[in-house]
């Protein structure tokens, strides 16, 4: 499998592949301030729940390594203020808050010297990065067991290497692992309006991996499913509530209803860092509303008339009842999710 690194720490800087210009250009941008990295998350240079978490962890490392503070308490203050800024970037993906909580806990522990504190923060960010790579691989391999030989599988948005630290990804990782197992699968990738993560990013990864695939517009899914052309749907998630309700890219809920109507399995694939036991149900998941320009314009070109009002919710919530299984690195959870997710999260 070709190596894809979405977020990296290199020579004291955070390096991101610029997802706004893929697939046309493969550009790696370097960040050495927390503010510039926060803006990169806000403007989708990096996106995808686990990737945002890893980028934010490295952002806290930037603050620790570049702080001019002479004493440990001032250093801690710089680190916590960086975590505060990074937490404001995007509201729905819980991996961001999960990673920042880990970084805050490390920064709040006792250390004899400021140097030791910086070292611990650096090690924690590195651990989050490495755990993300190994979780993606493990969940992809578990999930591949749900995909049968010859299956035609629909996916939405980009839940591949580009949505994680790299390589497998989550939902697309499951399909990559099934392909590597030699199952001759065909992927149907939704283009995913308005930001086109499917058309630009998932299609780029599928071509790179040589996985047989078709790109479709979002509105074609119902027709193809009703004709029996799709055997299963697998998508990622930005936050999974304690009861199994799952927020993911706008349009995912619609697909889950189609899956139910036509009796095909609908799977979620996500690392346990996406499972948020502190959010009881999908109703409490904050849904990001993004800039109207994403809907009125394509690649900077205005399509809608000036003055037209726009709604742009970036995510929707799929009720647990529509989900056949949730694939994680610790195994596959089935309903009732309140019990199965808690068990997996608590390592039982
Ligand atoms: O707005 P985005 O591109 O950050 O949204 C990404 C998604 O909705 C993905 O499907 C989700 O983060 C899962 S990725 C492993």
């Amino acid at each position: 499998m070709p190596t894809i690194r979405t977020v990296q720490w290199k020579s004291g800087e955070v390096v991101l592949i610029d997802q706004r210009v893929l697939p046309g250009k493969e550009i790696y941008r370097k960040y050495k301030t927390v503010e510039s990295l926060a803006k990169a998350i806000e403007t989708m240079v990096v996106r995808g729940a686990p990737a945002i978490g890893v980028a934010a962890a490295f952002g806290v490392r930037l603050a620790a390594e570049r702080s001019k503070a002479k004493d440990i308490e001032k250093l801690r203050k710089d680190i916590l203020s960086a975590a505060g800024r990074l937490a404001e970037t995007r509201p729905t993906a819980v991996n961001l808050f999960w990673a920042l909580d880990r970084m805050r806990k490390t920064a709040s522990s006792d250390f004899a010297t400021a140097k030791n504190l910086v070292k611990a923060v650096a090690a924690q960010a590195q651990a989050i990065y490495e755990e993300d790579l190994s979780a993606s691989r493990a969940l992809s391999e578990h999930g591949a067991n749900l995909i049968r030989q010859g299956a035609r599988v629909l996916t939405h948005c980009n839940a591949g290497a580009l949505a994680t630290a790299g390589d497998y990804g989550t939902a697309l990782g499951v399909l990559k692992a099934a392909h590597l197992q030699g199952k001759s699968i065909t992927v149907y990738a939704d283009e995913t309006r308005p930001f086109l993560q499917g058309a630009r990013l998932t299609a780029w990864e599928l071509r790179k991996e040589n996985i047989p695939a078709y790109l479709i517009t979002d509105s074609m899914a119902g027709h193809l499913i009703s004709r029996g052309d799709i055997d299963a749907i697998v998508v990622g998630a930005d936050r999974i509530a304690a009861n199994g309700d799952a927020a993911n890219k706008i349009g995912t809920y619609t697909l889950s209803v189609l899956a139910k109507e036509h009796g095909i399995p609908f799977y979620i694939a996500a690392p346990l860092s996406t499972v948020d036991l502190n959010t009881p149900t999908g109703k409490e998941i904050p849904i990001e509303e993004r800039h109207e320009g994403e809907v009125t314009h394509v690649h900077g070109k205005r399509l809608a008339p000036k003055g037209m009002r726009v709604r742009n919710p970036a995510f929707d919530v799929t009720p647990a009842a529509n989900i056949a299984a949730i694939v994680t690195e610790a195994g596959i959870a089935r309903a009732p999710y309140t019990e199965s997710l808690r068990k997996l999260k608590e390592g039982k």
Side-chain angles (χ1 to χ4, degrees):
M1 183 175 23
T3 300
I4 301 174
R5 284 290 176 275
T6 305
V7 186
Q8 296 171 88
W9 180 268
K10 266 192 186 164
S11 316
E13 294 176 328
V14 182
V15 181
L16 303 176
I17 186 168
D18 189 341
Q19 301 196 32
R20 298 166 310 175
V21 297
L22 281 171
K25 293 181 197 149
E26 201 169 318
I27 297 176
Y28 291 83
R29 298 194 191 278
K30 295 175 178 172
Y31 297 87
K32 48 185 175 213
T33 67
V34 172
E35 185 52 34
S36 64
L37 184 68
K39 291 230 160 71
I41 298 173
E42 284 164 351
T43 58
M44 313 281 273
V45 173
V46 63
R47 36 64 52 201
I52 296 169
V54 174
F58 283 146
V60 175
R61 180 175 179 182
L62 271 181
E65 295 202 357
R66 290 183 179 259
S67 169
K68 302 238 175 336
K70 295 277 178 282
D71 69 82
I72 197 161
E73 283 320 314
K74 283 203 182 115
L75 171 63
R76 228 189 283 276
K77 216 173 136 200
D78 285 350
I79 293 172
L80 296 178
S81 122
R85 170 67 184 99
L86 290 159
E88 288 168 355
T89 51
R90 297 198 66 194
T92 304
V94 77
N95 311 61
L96 171 67
F97 307 101
W98 169 88
L100 289 173
D101 273 357
R102 270 179 71 165
M103 298 306 291
R104 281 194 192 100
K105 269 190 198 124
T106 301
S108 306
S109 308
D110 282 338
F111 293 98
T113 64
K115 209 171 159 188
N116 289 352
L117 169 48
V118 173
K119 264 196 197 161
V121 164
Q124 184 64 271
Q126 190 62 23
I128 289 173
Y129 166 81
E130 278 163 22
E131 284 169 30
D132 187 63
L133 285 174
S134 57
S136 294
R137 185 190 176 120
L139 76 86
S140 298
E141 283 166 0
H142 285 305
N145 297 324
L146 297 171
I147 308 296
R148 65 160 180 76
Q149 160 67 22
R152 298 153 302 170
V153 188
L154 178 71
T155 190
H156 189 64
C157 193
N158 171 267
L162 292 168
T164 62
D167 291 346
Y168 277 84
T170 60
L172 194 53
V174 167
L175 301 175
K176 288 179 190 178
H179 174 73
L180 287 173
Q181 285 176 357
K183 293 172 177 163
S184 55
I185 60 164
T186 303
V187 178
Y188 281 74
D190 264 357
E191 65 168 352
T192 318
R193 273 284 288 157
F195 206 67
L196 302 175
Q197 289 94 330
R200 298 184 303 106
L201 309 176
T202 300
W204 181 73
E205 288 194 42
L206 286 165
R207 294 300 304 132
K208 234 182 164 44
E209 307 279 346
N210 258 317
I211 300 177
Y214 294 107
L215 175 65
I216 59 169
T217 68
D218 302 349
S219 48
M220 293 171 189
H223 168 72
L224 293 172
I225 294 169
S226 74
R227 291 292 173 103
D229 286 355
I230 306 289
D231 301 303
I233 299 176
V234 55
V235 297
D238 289 82
R239 188 185 300 225
I240 301 171
N243 73 341
D245 291 350
N248 190 50
K249 182 51 53 192
I250 193 76
T252 302
Y253 165 66
T254 320
L255 291 174
S256 80
V257 175
L258 284 167
K260 201 173 185 179
E261 170 73 17
H262 295 283
I264 60 169
F266 179 93
Y267 302 120
I268 297 271
L272 288 170
S273 55
T274 306
V275 176
D276 178 12
L277 297 182
N278 295 321
T279 298
T281 75
K283 277 203 187 85
E284 292 84 31
I285 299 177
I287 301 294
E288 178 181 16
E289 288 253 358
R290 290 187 61 84
H291 192 264
E292 63 176 46
E294 286 181 357
V295 178
T296 54
H297 290 64
V298 170
H299 272 234
K301 187 175 164 32
R302 175 175 278 282
L303 300 180
K306 278 189 185 152
M308 185 65 199
R309 296 195 306 163
V310 166
R311 290 288 311 271
N312 187 13
F315 301 96
D316 58 26
V317 175
T318 295
N322 292 5
I323 302 171
I326 299 178
V327 180
T328 77
E329 69 272 32
I332 296 177
R334 302 262 184 190
Y337 293 109
T338 310
E339 285 163 34
S340 55
L341 288 175
R342 184 170 296 278
K343 275 193 188 151
L344 290 181
K345 190 92 177 166
E346 291 172 355
K348 286 178 190 156

